[in-house]
Amino acid sequence: MKLYDLVGPPSPRRIRIFLAEKGVEIDTVTIDTREGEHLKPEFQAINPRCTIPALEMDNGEVLTEGDAILRYLEEKFPEKPLFGQSPEERAVVNNWLHITDLDGFSAVAEVVRNSVPRFENRAITGSRNVAQIAELAERGKKRIDFYFEDLNAHLKGRDYIAGSTFTAADISAMIVVDFAKMVGKEVPAECQDLLRWYASVSARPSAKA
């Protein structure tokens, strides 16, 4: 098994935090997207989508999507469970993973990809050239606010997003909060439950991964 990784971007960080919570170390290869290494033929032969992270499984097949990588690692290393400990918890974890991907990650990515100068003509991930659209960046900022509002409401009276333990849903949401800071979006002061939860989860040792 081999992880293609890069310190800095949120998607590979999610995998590192997951592994740190599991107490698992695997072989890692750094692919520096800032230097264009993800677009070189050598890496495209491994991952034609040219995205990081990517995980080469024991059978040689490569997973290119973060959610699939997390599911594989959960199956491969079931202790401690990070997708919930009961059918109900697993359902809530997956429900909030979907919400966070749709309303959180994609909202921040919409801002980053459509406003940051170094992503000019690179408005989507991968190898294709796509022009930035300023209006999408503005819409993305509003979507981040909506996500913070919804997550704050969900966290009222809860220590974690799903059940009584820290899960993959908490990892993803924590990373969205950090990712949003890259575009100047902080959790509003009125989102007290979200701020309480974030202070707790971001203090975990794995959050430094």
Side-chain angles (χ1 to χ4, degrees):
M1 186 164 28
K2 185 182 299 181
L3 177 66
Y4 296 90
D5 187 24
L6 176 63
V7 173
S11 294
R13 182 180 171 222
R14 180 167 63 154
I15 308 302
R16 291 197 306 276
I17 293 175
F18 193 88
L19 287 167
E21 286 285 336
K22 293 276 189 182
V24 171
E25 295 184 5
I26 62 177
D27 290 341
T28 301
V29 177
T30 297
I31 302 295
D32 194 340
T33 59
R34 290 161 295 204
E35 298 295 327
E37 292 180 0
H38 60 306
L39 299 175
K40 292 183 177 179
E42 296 85 354
F43 185 67
Q44 287 199 44
I46 297 167
N47 177 11
R49 290 177 60 78
C50 304
T51 54
I52 301 294
L55 181 73
E56 183 177 331
M57 296 187 291
D58 292 338
N59 66 358
E61 188 166 349
V62 176
L63 299 176
T64 64
E65 307 306 310
D67 287 344
I69 293 171
L70 294 181
R71 290 301 320 187
Y72 175 69
L73 293 173
E74 178 80 349
E75 296 293 330
K76 188 78 173 176
F77 309 104
E79 297 300 330
K80 64 183 179 180
L82 289 173
F83 274 83
Q85 302 184 64
S86 68
E88 292 77 14
E89 282 189 8
R90 285 190 285 275
V92 175
V93 168
N94 281 280
N95 189 65
W96 271 94
L97 284 173
H98 181 73
I99 291 171
T100 295
D101 279 346
L102 184 65
D103 296 348
F105 270 117
S106 69
V108 184
E110 195 169 57
V111 181
V112 171
R113 286 280 175 171
N114 286 284
S115 64
V116 175
R118 77 181 182 90
F119 289 118
E120 184 178 4
N121 293 321
R122 307 291 300 164
I124 63 173
T125 59
S127 60
R128 295 179 175 91
N129 293 326
V130 178
Q132 293 177 325
I133 301 175
E135 290 82 359
L136 289 180
E138 292 306 310
R139 185 183 71 174
K141 291 177 181 178
K142 293 179 181 178
R143 292 176 61 208
I144 295 168
D145 290 334
F146 298 154
Y147 174 73
F148 286 163
E149 290 174 11
D150 293 346
L151 185 54
N152 181 68
H154 176 75
L155 285 166
K156 186 175 180 60
R158 301 172 187 263
D159 291 328
Y160 301 104
I161 290 175
S164 59
T165 60
F166 184 81
T167 68
D170 296 288
I171 295 173
S172 287
M174 175 177 63
I175 290 175
V176 167
V177 173
D178 288 336
F179 189 23
K181 296 175 184 176
M182 293 177 58
V183 295
K185 298 295 290 185
E186 300 276 351
V187 176
E190 58 267 26
C191 291
Q192 286 296 305
D193 288 294
L194 175 51
L195 288 168
R196 168 188 53 79
W197 163 86
Y198 176 73
S200 175
V201 297
S202 61
R204 298 175 74 88
S206 64
K208 298 177 177 61

